[in-house]
Amino acid sequence: MKKILFLSFLIFSIFGCSLKYDEEAVSKDVTPEFIFENPSLIRVENGKKSVIVNAEKIEKYKSNSIFYASDVLFETFDRYDESDAKGSCGLLYADLDSQVFELFDGISLYSKEYDTTFHANVLKWDGKTEQLIGSKRDTVRVEKNDTIIFGTGFSASGISSTFHFNGTVTGEIESE
């Protein structure tokens, strides 16, 4: 029940500010500077695309590097312009300065390097520490080849290329 209330509050907080703006009642810090409808954004670093993001809506705030987005599809690219990861989620919070990305609602992430897909409802990526962390109680499904693992308390390290679960784990492994 607490999780439902928290998620309801989070969704209201993220999208509640976009419904109607009253200059006297709403601070400029919580009013989006830009609202993009159905955008396709491409981030370029060192002359090469690094990320493509498509969304139903993206809100950008003036006072910081924070973005909120809904119905998001994204793809990242390596230094050779090859796709290295793809994903989607219902809601996204992104803080570009701190390199923290929080994904919610029907998340699917595919890593080409590890040929692994992750499915969850809540995930947080910290770009500085290269850590992918799930909610304590949310079940994360990991698929690789003929192996499917479900577990809670998920965390993964991009540095050590490992993942583990701190909670209950179940799964299927098919082999010849």
Side-chain angles (χ1 to χ4, degrees), residues 38-52:
N38 299 310
S40 181
L41 304 174
I42 300 172
R43 182 176 183 174
V44 177
E45 296 179 63
N46 300 320
K48 297 184 180 200
K49 68 183 172 201
S50 61
V51 179
I52 295 176

Side-chain angles (χ1 to χ4, degrees), residues 20-77:
K20 181 178 178 183
Y21 303 113
D22 181 354
E23 288 183 29
E24 294 175 21
V26 178
S27 164
K28 290 184 180 183
D29 292 339
V30 296
T31 302
E33 180 179 27
F34 296 104
I35 299 175
F36 304 97
E37 300 283 342
N38 299 310
S40 181
L41 304 174
I42 300 172
R43 182 176 183 174
V44 177
E45 296 179 63
N46 300 320
K48 297 184 180 200
K49 68 183 172 201
S50 61
V51 179
I52 295 176
V53 177
N54 294 295
E56 180 181 290
K57 181 189 286 188
I58 297 178
E59 296 180 355
K60 163 66 175 95
Y61 292 79
K62 183 177 185 174
S63 62
N64 50 37
S65 64
I66 293 177
F67 290 81
Y68 292 97
S70 62
D71 293 326
V72 181
L73 297 171
F74 59 89
E75 185 171 8
T76 63
F77 298 86

